[in-house]
Amino acid sequence: MELCERIRTVNPSVTIEVTSRAKQMQARGIDVVGFGAGEPDFDTPAFIKDAAKAALDAGDTKYTPAKAGELKAAIAEKLKRENSLDYSPEQVLLTFGGKHALYNAFQVLLEPGEKVLIPSPYWVSYPEQVKLAGGQPVFLPAGPEKGFKITPDDILAHADGAKALVLNSPCNPTGVTYSPEELADLARAVLQTDLVVLSDEIYEKLVYGQTKFVSFAALDERLTDRTLTINGLSKTFAMTGWRLGWAAGPKEVVKAMATMASHQVTNPVSFAQAGALAAYTHQDAPAAVEAMRQEFERRGRHMHQRLEAIEGVRCVQPTGAFYCFPDVSAHYGRTFGEVEVTGSLDFARACLQTAKVALVPGVAFGADNCVRLSFATGIEQIDKGLDRLEEMLTG
Ligand SMILES: Cc1ncc(COP(=O)(O)O)c(C=O)c1O
């Protein structure tokens, strides 16, 4: 059967592929250290699971128009309380993960061929989702020499004829977070253009050191009409498998995305919504989130220090999310085992075969000099994996 052009240009997610290859090796009894996963290793906090179990026991197993309203109101309340954003519950759409929110956003915003500015390195799904919506990704280079950040001039130089800009701070894969001042500078540039902004704030709670998180739309009231804020429960509450995300923004955009969702998925799973409601309203939630954040901070600092100590590895300090994104290109041209390394794909293959360490090639994120290591795993695993990597590279 012939597939349409639209899907033929789209690449499968490399991050999911690497993680599943490592899991297959582990299932065969091979001791692989996994740095591939983009998800917290913590269990979902008990009070969230209890709320979902109680909902199931109470027969909360039907379509959810009423429950969805309650959760949207709780999210609007969270946005006021934590993000200084004033949205009504009707301006919130519940989705199957932040990924689904982004997908629907591109679908309702883009005309065929319209350009979307994406800082590079980027999260794997942005360009593919733009292509699936018939749009055209345009990459704004933000390599390690720029601290993995774009500047106002980058926006102004590419805004002509572009429809949207994607911002992701804290960032997957670089672990970099824009300061409030840097974001305000970007906001001033955006306000000189006609761009709409998709602000992916899924890692908002995972910031480290002196880093402060601000929502992009809160920086200037003129941004509320042209910013769509994307978020979800996956990373903040260790709920990746629950598939719950959301978007908040201008009424007409959220309404159009809801129309799409009404033909696609209706609302997210009933008892998952009950868990999400507890996540946003339960008194124990802030402490549970803070405990996970502190542990990620400890691991991130440790992984960064260890990577920097390896010859030929240079790593920008992560200030958010749970990734290190070191430049390993000094080792390209070498051969490890049977693998001659010419780029990040070979490097990742060599790591898996020789060191039994799974990491993600940077080429998947538009940066072939780098590889991504997730520190959403215990300190002992981090040490074990980095001992092996160091031995492979310098032993
Ligand atoms: C930058 C970024 N945005 C969005 C998502 C989507 O997460 P989910 O669909 O689980 O909410 C992810 C997940 O890896 C991510 O890293």
Side-chain angles (χ1 to χ4, degrees):
M1 211 178 280
E2 196 168 332
L3 298 173
C4 68
E5 166 74 18
R6 198 169 62 251
I7 195 69
R8 277 189 272 127
T9 64
V10 172
N11 301 307
S13 165
V14 176
T15 43
I16 291 174
E17 203 178 298
V18 168
T19 316
S20 67
R21 205 179 313 141
K23 286 207 166 125
Q24 279 164 16
M25 286 174 72
Q26 280 159 348
R28 294 208 311 271
I30 302 169
D31 177 23
V32 174
V33 177
F35 291 138
E39 62 181 346
D41 54 326
F42 302 113
D43 197 2
T44 303
F47 65 88
I48 297 176
K49 293 203 284 187
D50 290 344
K53 285 186 224 167
L56 268 176
D57 288 342
D60 191 355
T61 57
K62 304 284 192 285
Y63 292 134
T64 59
K67 173 72 77 196
E70 225 181 313
L71 180 53
K72 286 180 198 176
I75 291 168
E77 188 50 44
K78 169 250 181 301
L79 284 168
K80 263 195 205 73
R81 191 175 65 235
E82 297 180 352
N83 306 81
S84 311
L85 287 172
D86 197 6
Y87 288 120
S88 66
E90 296 71 46
Q91 290 178 280
V92 177
L93 176 73
L94 304 179
T95 57
F96 276 77
K99 196 179 258 190
H100 177 208
L102 284 158
Y103 181 87
N104 281 16
F106 291 127
Q107 292 289 331
V108 305
L109 288 173
L110 298 181
E111 298 290 356
E114 267 189 324
K115 292 179 185 158
V116 177
L117 308 184
I118 302 176
S120 174
Y122 47 79
W123 180 49
V124 283
S125 293
Y126 299 139
E128 306 312 308
Q129 290 197 352
V130 167
K131 287 192 265 171
L132 278 166
Q136 189 191 335
V138 173
F139 299 112
L140 306 184
E145 70 292 348
K146 293 170 78 179
F148 290 128
K149 290 174 182 175
I150 57 163
T151 63
D153 285 344
D154 293 326
I155 295 176
L156 295 172
H158 293 89
D160 229 13
K163 174 71 181 266
L165 166 71
V166 176
L167 287 178
N168 173 218
S169 173
C171 173
N172 175 7
T174 63
V176 154
T177 310
Y178 288 86
S179 71
E181 296 73 28
E182 287 166 336
L183 269 190
D185 287 345
L186 297 187
R188 273 188 286 279
V190 164
L191 286 167
Q192 292 174 48
T193 71
D194 293 327
L195 289 167
V196 299
V197 174
L198 273 64
S199 182
D200 180 348
E201 304 184 358
I202 198 115
Y203 293 99
E204 70 165 327
K205 294 293 176 191
L206 300 179
V207 290
Y208 312 124
Q210 302 303 310
T211 310
K212 291 253 173 314
F213 174 83
V214 282
S215 277
F216 186 75
L219 288 165
D220 187 307
E221 61 187 24
R222 290 169 294 170
L223 291 169
T224 34
D225 275 352
R226 50 152 108 192
T227 306
L228 193 66
T229 302
I230 309 287
N231 208 323
L233 289 96
S234 288
K235 320 287 177 176
T236 301
F237 300 103
M239 290 173 67
T240 45
W242 295 61
R243 309 309 304 129
L244 251 174
W246 46 270
K251 257 198 190 102
E252 67 284 4
V253 179
V254 171
K255 193 166 168 222
M257 289 167 69
T259 303
M260 256 200 92
S262 76
H263 295 295
Q264 217 176 21
V265 289
T266 317
N267 282 312
V269 176
S270 56
F271 42 92
Q273 286 187 48
L277 190 58
Y280 285 123
T281 56
H282 197 282
Q283 61 188 15
D284 294 346
V289 171
E290 176 58 13
M292 291 191 272
R293 188 201 69 77
Q294 283 180 14
E295 181 56 18
F296 283 132
E297 176 158 26
R298 192 170 78 93
R299 295 167 175 184
R301 211 180 301 125
H302 186 65
M303 180 181 263
H304 174 254
Q305 277 167 3
R306 287 223 45 188
L307 283 167
E308 276 277 289
I310 302 175
E311 211 182 307
V313 176
R314 283 291 147 265
C315 186
V316 171
Q317 169 113 38
T319 51
F322 36 62
Y323 308 103
C324 283
F325 199 57
D327 183 328
V328 293
S329 60
H331 293 282
Y332 295 176
R334 298 181 61 192
T335 299
F336 302 98
E338 284 159 13
V339 184
E340 192 191 327
V341 173
T342 57
S344 62
L345 265 175
D346 300 324
F347 187 88
R349 204 171 299 134
C351 286
L352 198 55
Q353 285 179 16
T354 305
K356 307 285 182 289
V357 169
L359 38 75
V360 188
V363 70
F365 311 100
D368 199 30
N369 281 353
C370 298
V371 289
R372 191 192 76 175
L373 290 84
S374 159
F375 48 85
T377 188
I379 287 271
E380 313 70 40
Q381 284 297 102
I382 291 174
D383 274 330
K384 183 168 159 183
L386 293 183
D387 285 348
R388 290 181 183 182
L389 189 64
E390 191 163 18
E391 169 68 23
M392 177 181 116
L393 295 176
T394 62

